[in-house]
């Protein structure tokens, strides 16, 4: 990957929470890169560290009890881990913006949606009230909201879930950010509205060349939206590659398990569909991690070494790799399955 293509470069990121029972490491040695004008998908189960990665980028890890224990988050050559709160406020909402899972939690119920979009423009772009409101209406129109003048005067509770999510997207795009973080933006929406939101995000990227970090637990959404994908488990990146590489030739047992959970429809056969599989066990506590592969207790292909040492990340091709001892031929030969 050429350096001039990299918009955001995360190196060795570790986020920990100091709790009563000890130190919970919720992100471990995470390396990620986002290029300009691409969509990077981040996929994994609830609690795997997807949303916490987004909060770390924005400087929103709750301190205390949370802390960025190690690593760098470099945006256009500037390390956000070492940036001041004032500088983070300048970047957040202007250069890097976020769409949260539930729009009602990101919209103020006592202000009209037009006022809330205009407030972002007035703070970051130093626009006067009237032109900011005009831009707010234009942004609502840009996300395919009908009658944007009327909607701008409405309150969040007067809008449907799909309309509220469009408002949140309009607000996130108001200042023309370089990077848009979409944290499961369609979780509470029905399938038809989900497809509309996906199409809207693709349209925005084509028109504005905005990079998107798309966070989800849905492999189908990843196939639809992303160019590259990183699979996370228990705070670790366990696999990364081009979308087609990961979907067609998964390397990590966890990725294979996720794909086996996705239903498939084959309209060309009368055979009954294959039974869906599940991944046995539960995600381990972040306090108990360390010194072994986090997925080993749930892995059907676990070897002795998996319980003894954390696997390194093996690059199999220039764009595709995974953190699994099975990819080390010497280790997989020497350590038979338990």
């Amino acid at each position: 990957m050429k350096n001039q293509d990299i918009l955001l470069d995360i190196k060795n990121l570790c986020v920990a929470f100091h709790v009563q029972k000890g130190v919970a490491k919720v992100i471990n040695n995470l390396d990620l890169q986002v290029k300009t004008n691409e969509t990077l998908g981040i996929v994994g189960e609830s609690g795997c560290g997807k949303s916490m990665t987004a909060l770390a980028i924005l400087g929103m890890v709750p301190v205390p009890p949370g802390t960025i224990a190690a690593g760098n988050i470099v945006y256009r050559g500037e390390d956000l881990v070492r940036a001041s709160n004032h500088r983070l406020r300048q970047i957040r909402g202007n250069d890097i913006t976020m769409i949260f899972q539930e729009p009602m939690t990101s919209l103020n119920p006592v202000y009209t949606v037009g006022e809330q979009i205009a407030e972002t423009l007035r703070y970051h772009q130093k626009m006067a009230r009237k032109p900011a409101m005009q831009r707010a209406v234009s942004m609502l129109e840009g996300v395919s909201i009908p009658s944007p003048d009327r909607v701008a005067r409405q309150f969040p509770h007067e809008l449907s879930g799909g309309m509220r999510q469009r408002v949140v997207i309009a607000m996130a795009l108001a200042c023309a950010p370089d990077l848009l973080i979409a944290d499961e933006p369609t979780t509470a929406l029905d399938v038809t509205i989900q497809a509309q939101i996906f199409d809207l995000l693709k349209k925005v990227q084509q028109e504005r060349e905005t990079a998107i970090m798309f966070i989800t637990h849905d492999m189908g959404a990843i196939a639809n939206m992303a160019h590259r994908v990183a699979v996370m488990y228990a705070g670790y990146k366990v696999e990364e590659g081009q979308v087609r590489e990961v979907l067609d030739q998964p390397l990590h047992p966890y990725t294979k398990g996720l794909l086996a959970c996705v239903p498939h429809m084959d309209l060309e056969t009368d055979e009954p569909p294959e039974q869906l599989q599940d991944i046995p066990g539960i995600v381990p506590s972040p306090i108990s991690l360390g010194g072994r592969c986090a997925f080993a207790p749930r892995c059907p292909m676990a070897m002795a070494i998996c319980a003894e040492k954390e696997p390194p990340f093996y690059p199999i091709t220039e764009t595709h790799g995974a953190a699994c001892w099975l990819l080390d031929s010497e280790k997989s030969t020497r350590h038979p399955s338990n």
Side-chain angles (χ1 to χ4, degrees), residues 204-281:
V204 165
Q205 186 170 63
Q206 291 171 356
E207 293 178 349
R208 299 168 176 254
E209 297 188 348
T210 305
I212 298 175
M213 180 180 286
F214 189 83
I215 298 171
T216 184
H217 63 275
D218 184 353
M219 277 293 194
I222 288 293
N224 189 4
M225 283 294 301
H227 301 107
R228 291 188 301 118
V229 58
V231 181
M232 291 187 66
Y233 180 79
Y236 291 89
K237 181 182 75 174
V238 297
E239 185 163 352
E240 184 178 17
Q242 301 291 329
V243 166
R244 290 305 346 153
E245 290 178 318
V246 174
L247 296 183
D248 295 341
Q249 295 181 312
L251 299 172
H252 197 280
Y254 177 62
T255 310
K256 295 175 183 178
L258 286 179
L259 291 171
C261 297
V262 178
H264 298 277
M265 291 183 63
D266 189 347
L267 301 179
E268 298 181 358
T269 179
D270 294 329
E271 295 293 325
E274 293 183 11
Q275 184 175 351
L276 289 179
Q277 301 180 29
D278 63 354
I279 302 175

Side-chain angles (χ1 to χ4, degrees), residues 75 78 80 83-92 95:
Y75 167 71
E78 180 178 6
L80 302 185
S84 66
N85 288 332
H86 174 70
R87 178 59 181 144
L88 288 172
R89 284 193 296 270
Q90 289 179 326
I91 292 173
R92 191 167 52 227
D95 302 294

Side-chain angles (χ1 to χ4, degrees), residues 97 165 200 302:
T97 57
Q165 195 62 287
L200 176 59

Side-chain angles (χ1 to χ4, degrees), residues 2 9 20 30 36 54 65 67 101 137 169 185 212 218 231 284 290 328:
K2 297 179 180 178
D9 192 3
Q20 188 173 8
L30 179 64
T36 57
T67 182
Q101 292 186 32
V137 173
I169 294 172
I212 298 175
D218 184 353
V231 181
D328 186 320

Side-chain angles (χ1 to χ4, degrees), residues 88-282:
L88 288 172
R89 284 193 296 270
Q90 289 179 326
I91 292 173
R92 191 167 52 227
N94 188 52
D95 302 294
I96 303 175
T97 57
M98 185 165 175
I99 304 169
F100 292 90
Q101 292 186 32
E102 174 48 58
M104 280 303 284
T105 62
S106 25
L107 292 172
N108 192 320
V110 301
Y111 291 95
T112 66
V113 297
E115 288 174 319
Q116 295 184 60
I117 298 172
E119 181 184 15
T120 299
L121 292 162
R122 293 174 67 189
Y123 178 80
H124 289 292
Q125 305 291 317
K126 310 304 179 186
M127 295 178 68
R129 182 180 181 84
K130 185 174 180 180
M133 282 299 295
Q134 291 172 340
R135 175 77 73 81
V137 173
S138 176
M139 292 304 303
L140 291 173
E141 183 178 15
V143 294
S144 303
I145 287 182
S147 305
D149 285 301
R150 176 178 57 81
V151 173
R153 297 190 297 272
Q154 291 184 298
F155 293 89
H157 72 271
E158 298 179 282
L159 305 177
S160 67
M163 291 279 275
R164 286 195 294 264
Q165 195 62 287
R166 288 174 185 268
V167 169
V168 172
I169 294 172
M171 187 183 303
L173 296 173
C175 297
D178 291 329
L179 174 62
L180 175 65
I181 301 174
D183 186 4
E184 306 213 31
T186 61
T187 297
L189 305 178
D190 62 53
V191 175
T192 303
I193 303 301
Q194 284 184 27
Q196 294 175 4
I197 297 298
F198 290 160
D199 290 342
L200 176 59
L201 291 174
K202 291 177 183 177
K203 176 185 173 185
V204 165
Q205 186 170 63
Q206 291 171 356
E207 293 178 349
R208 299 168 176 254
E209 297 188 348
T210 305
I212 298 175
M213 180 180 286
F214 189 83
I215 298 171
T216 184
H217 63 275
D218 184 353
M219 277 293 194
I222 288 293
N224 189 4
M225 283 294 301
H227 301 107
R228 291 188 301 118
V229 58
V231 181
M232 291 187 66
Y233 180 79
Y236 291 89
K237 181 182 75 174
V238 297
E239 185 163 352
E240 184 178 17
Q242 301 291 329
V243 166
R244 290 305 346 153
E245 290 178 318
V246 174
L247 296 183
D248 295 341
Q249 295 181 312
L251 299 172
H252 197 280
Y254 177 62
T255 310
K256 295 175 183 178
L258 286 179
L259 291 171
C261 297
V262 178
H264 298 277
M265 291 183 63
D266 189 347
L267 301 179
E268 298 181 358
T269 179
D270 294 329
E271 295 293 325
E274 293 183 11
Q275 184 175 351
L276 289 179
Q277 301 180 29
D278 63 354
I279 302 175
I282 59 173

Side-chain angles (χ1 to χ4, degrees), residues 25 28-29 236 287-294 296 304-311 325:
K25 297 179 180 179
N28 294 275
N29 306 317
Y236 291 89
I287 298 176
S288 65
L289 296 177
R292 59 172 171 80
C293 171
I305 194 172
C306 301
E308 299 168 0
K309 295 175 63 177
E310 291 181 12
W325 287 116

